[in-house]
């Protein structure tokens, strides 16, 4: 068989293997977690706010709320910074400066999450503590996650903005429109889908982060009443308790993983 005939089949196999792996992971988590839904009840799991595995309480509501709050806070800080940085590098900065800064910005993505968590623990927690509360809070976790998603949002936004044809800018500038208004009214709408992709990928990184959140969020199993209150996310709960969980407790952790998976699908 010639290489021309073999190559498409191999590439097709590789493509479907990724989908197969995703399907198998989903199936495994669903099988492991459905027993908890059946025995504890879906309403109790999703709407219960009390998590006490030794007493048979497996309410995930506080951790679902915590995950959503931390993710929303990270997006509220990280998306404007990322898009703003990408806009500056692509539209305003000199080409030499953009070529120098962009690799440094992308290098932030290579820093391990535990390093971000350690920086947040040493620097951010004492600063946030001055505002009130223990310092381990929704606000601290949101800032740390915002720094972590910044390179992802900025890099993808930069590529999306650079992909807009230069003729769009020339037509707007020829009408006497300012550079900033051209960027805001022409360039951003033209690359809206690329910017949305950056937000979605940043959101996926934020809601799925574990180690950094464990170090700075406080891990309190309670619905936070303000951004200065400690919080526990679904990923943190799985990481903290999976090592010793058995029986229905272990199944409930798989169920929380399934809930997290569904949340990510819905947000996407």
């Amino acid at each position: 068989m010639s290489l021309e005939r073999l190559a498409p089949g191999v590439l097709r196999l590789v493509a479907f293997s990724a989908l197969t792996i995703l399907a198998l992971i989903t199936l495994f988590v669903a099988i492991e977690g459905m027993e908890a839904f059946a025995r504890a009840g879906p309403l109790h799991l999703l709407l219960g706010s009390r998590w006490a595995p030794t007493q048979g309480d497996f309410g995930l509501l506080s951790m679902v709320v915590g995950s959503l709050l931390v993710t929303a806070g990270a997006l509220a800080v990280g998306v404007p910074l990322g898009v703003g940085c990408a806009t500056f590098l692509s539209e305003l900065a000199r080409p030499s400066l953009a070529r120098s800064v962009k690799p440094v910005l992308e290098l932030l993505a290579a820093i391990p999450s535990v390093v971000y968590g350690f920086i947040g623990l040493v620097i951010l927690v004492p600063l946030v503590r001055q505002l009130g509360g223990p310092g381990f809070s929704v606000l601290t976790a949101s800032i740390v996650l915002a720094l972590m998603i910044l390179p992802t949002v900025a890099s993808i936004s930069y590529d999306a903005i650079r992909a807009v044809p230069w003729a769009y800018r020339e037509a707007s500038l020829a009408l006497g429109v300012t550079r900033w208004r051209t960027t805001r009214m022409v360039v951003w709408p033209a690359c809206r889908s690329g910017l949305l992709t950056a937000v979605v990928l940043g959101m996926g990184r934020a809601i799925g982060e574990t180690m950094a959140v464990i170090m700075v969020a406080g891990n309190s199993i309670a619905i936070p009443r303000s951004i200065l209150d400690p919080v526990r996310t679904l990923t943190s709960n799985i990481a903290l308790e999976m090592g010793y969980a058995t029986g229905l407790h272990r199944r409930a952790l798989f169920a929380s993983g399934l809930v997290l998976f569904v949340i990510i699908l819905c947000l996407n």
Side-chain angles (χ1 to χ4, degrees), residues 106-226:
E106 293 174 344
L107 187 63
L108 293 174
I111 299 177
S113 60
V114 68
V115 175
Y116 283 104
F118 182 72
I119 293 174
L121 184 65
V122 174
I123 299 177
L124 287 178
V125 170
L127 291 177
V128 174
R129 187 178 294 133
Q130 297 178 8
L131 301 176
F136 299 92
S137 61
V138 175
L139 178 61
T140 309
S142 298
I143 295 175
V144 171
L145 288 179
L147 295 177
M148 296 181 67
I149 69 173
L150 176 62
T152 300
V153 175
S155 179
I156 298 176
S157 298
Y158 176 85
D159 294 335
I161 294 173
R162 296 293 294 177
V164 176
W166 186 253
Y168 290 14
R169 301 174 177 85
E170 291 178 337
S172 179
L173 295 173
L175 295 174
V177 180
T178 62
R179 189 73 174 270
W180 163 241
R181 193 170 180 83
T182 297
T183 300
R184 185 167 58 90
M185 303 299 294
V186 177
V187 177
W188 282 354
C191 64
R192 184 184 295 111
S193 62
L195 298 180
L196 182 60
T197 300
V199 173
V200 170
L201 292 178
M203 177 180 60
R205 173 76 190 276
I207 199 171
E209 178 55 41
T210 304
M211 183 55 66
V213 177
I214 289 177
M215 298 175 69
V216 300
N219 302 308
S220 174
I221 307 176
I223 298 178
R225 298 185 177 182
S226 75

Side-chain angles (χ1 to χ4, degrees), residues 13-266:
L13 178 64
V14 171
F16 280 100
S17 65
L19 296 177
T20 302
I21 293 172
L22 177 61
L24 291 175
I25 292 175
T26 305
L27 181 62
F28 173 75
V29 175
I31 292 175
E32 292 290 328
M34 288 309 294
E35 182 179 348
F37 277 103
R39 294 176 60 181
L43 291 179
H44 177 69
L45 278 172
L46 297 177
L47 301 180
S49 59
R50 187 168 186 268
W51 177 267
T54 57
Q55 301 175 20
D57 290 322
F58 300 100
L60 298 174
L61 181 61
S62 61
M63 286 168 280
V64 171
V65 173
S67 297
L68 295 179
L69 286 177
V70 168
T71 302
L75 293 178
V77 177
V79 170
L81 287 176
V83 175
C85 183
T87 302
F88 171 76
L89 292 178
S90 60
E91 299 296 304
L92 302 176
R94 297 190 304 273
S96 59
L97 178 62
R99 288 193 297 268
S100 302
V101 173
K102 190 172 183 292
V104 176
L105 185 64
E106 293 174 344
L107 187 63
L108 293 174
I111 299 177
S113 60
V114 68
V115 175
Y116 283 104
F118 182 72
I119 293 174
L121 184 65
V122 174
I123 299 177
L124 287 178
V125 170
L127 291 177
V128 174
R129 187 178 294 133
Q130 297 178 8
L131 301 176
F136 299 92
S137 61
V138 175
L139 178 61
T140 309
S142 298
I143 295 175
V144 171
L145 288 179
L147 295 177
M148 296 181 67
I149 69 173
L150 176 62
T152 300
V153 175
S155 179
I156 298 176
S157 298
Y158 176 85
D159 294 335
I161 294 173
R162 296 293 294 177
V164 176
W166 186 253
Y168 290 14
R169 301 174 177 85
E170 291 178 337
S172 179
L173 295 173
L175 295 174
V177 180
T178 62
R179 189 73 174 270
W180 163 241
R181 193 170 180 83
T182 297
T183 300
R184 185 167 58 90
M185 303 299 294
V186 177
V187 177
W188 282 354
C191 64
R192 184 184 295 111
S193 62
L195 298 180
L196 182 60
T197 300
V199 173
V200 170
L201 292 178
M203 177 180 60
R205 173 76 190 276
I207 199 171
E209 178 55 41
T210 304
M211 183 55 66
V213 177
I214 289 177
M215 298 175 69
V216 300
N219 302 308
S220 174
I221 307 176
I223 298 178
R225 298 185 177 182
S226 75
I227 60 174
L228 299 178
D229 289 341
V231 69
R232 176 181 289 194
T233 63
L234 288 169
T235 54
S236 300
N237 189 55
I238 295 172
L240 289 170
E241 299 189 7
M242 184 58 78
Y244 62 86
T246 58
L248 187 59
H249 182 192
R250 184 173 181 272
R251 303 291 184 181
L253 293 178
F254 274 101
S256 63
L258 184 60
V259 171
L260 179 64
F261 184 75
V262 173
I263 291 175
I264 293 176
L265 287 180
C266 293

